[in-house]
Amino acid sequence: MVDMTLTEIVNGFNTTPFLFIGSGMSRRYLELPNWESLLKHFATQIRDDKFAYQYYVNKASSGNSSMTLPRVASLIENDFNEEWFSNPAKRNLNEKELESVANGASPFKAEVAAYIKRSFSIIPQYQKEIELLEKISLNSISGVITTNYDTFLEDHFDGYKTYIGQSELIFSPLQGIAEIYKIHGSVDLPESIVINEKDYQIFDEKEKYLAAKLMTIFMEYPIIFLGYSISDCNIQQIIRSIVSCLDTQQLHKLSDRFIFVEYQPNNNGIEISSYAVMIESEPLQMTKIGLSDFSQLYRALEMKKAKMPVRLLRHFKEELYNFVITNSPTATMRVASIDDTRVKDEDLVLAIGRASEFGLKGLSGLDASEWYRNIVLGDLNFSADELLRYAFPKLLKQNSNKLPVNKLLVSAKESYPEAEELALKYTFDKIISKTIRNQRHIVEKYHSVMDIWNLKSATIEKKTRLVAHLPEDKISIDELETILKDLFEQNRNILYEETTPPVKTNIRRLILIYDYLKWGKRKEPSD
């Protein structure tokens, strides 16, 4: 018997825990079927016989017992799909779900997903318990790993990001905070559901990669198992994959962080004991907590809180990660004083040093391609004043004193003499250059921007070059805006390094023309 209370165990955590959630939680809160009950339901959809499920179990019973249910699922799926395609009366899918089958999804998996969605309803007696779980998800839980298909967690854990299936987990940059890892798939993506023998074979082949991805989480966070049997083969296999990478000292640390919660229907209190799981003939020690009322666990976890909501912590980590790997600030990551009134409440703020020393310095990291694209798309979430004050001076020097600024000057609330001087300097003739004016005869047969843009055999380089040769009176602002937006819709990063220099130069010139014609053209004073 462990001589500690639940509160003392939680207080001993080094950080807020990860939850590892199984089907017992879906049965408790949603009255959804477990794996075997789910297969029994679909067996009877094929064979109207009380022995329908046993028929498939009998066919699948030879070989590795841990693969019996996946083999049963495979047999049911094969017969179900054949019946589904030949008998329209067996179909229970809406138009969108039918379309997924038309695009190659398994009818069995699509029907499994639809059945779970239709069966999804909160059991009233657990409403208060669910509300408490919802509450602690804000500050007292770091994240969730689950083998469940349903969307209960996404629906109740506000601001968490969900990753579906092994592939998305393995190939995504996880932040390890306010995230839900659905390792066996989701009803939102039926083909991701791990249920049949082939699914499990693929899962097992990739398991070492998944284990490597989850290793940091298992070593850094307390792990609380909820809704599982202690002997669950899926859990044991995942733990085995992780344990095989650890030495004795690391295993000891792992055992200190593993908490297994066992539902005991007749236990009105809390029973705490040590428990050993045999992994490859070696015991892995963990703490077992037996209870019937999960709110007791949730109230204990409520006492362990992160300093700020975990969804904001994840947002900060993601923004910082993106900044580090791209070396470019994002629209929501700014460096500013906490009391800087220019920063909205929903924006992310990082303050270092004395408040008086800081402005929106993250803007100084913007590059010219982002500046030019913003003239067309308006996709930078910074005000015109912020861009002109903090980004413009540096970018102007880096780009040979040539930048489109008219759009920003029209929107700016303050005066920016250097930008205003630049705007006056770059008239239409100055933008297109003397060389282009001298070669204007090459576009004499074209009467508009679209005449050139609709040339079927011309390359992007040729089209963007020829448009700039048109005289000013033949350039429609609306047509020029259309082709520029079309270019960015086809390739948002068309101005970056992968684009050939001539194309980049041509597009920038067209944006300068667009900026001048739409916002900068000065009317001549009347006589």
Side-chain angles (χ1 to χ4, degrees), residues 442-443 446 452 455 462-470:
I442 66 175
V443 293
Y446 305 115
I452 295 172
L455 293 172
K462 182 176 181 180
K463 291 178 182 180
T464 52
R465 174 168 46 84
L466 289 180
V467 168
H469 283 72
L470 288 170

Side-chain angles (χ1 to χ4, degrees), residues 235-245 278-280:
I235 292 300
Q236 290 210 1
Q237 182 59 36
I238 292 168
I239 294 174
R240 187 178 294 113
S241 297
I242 292 173
V243 164
S244 64
C245 304
M278 299 303 294
I279 304 293
E280 301 291 352

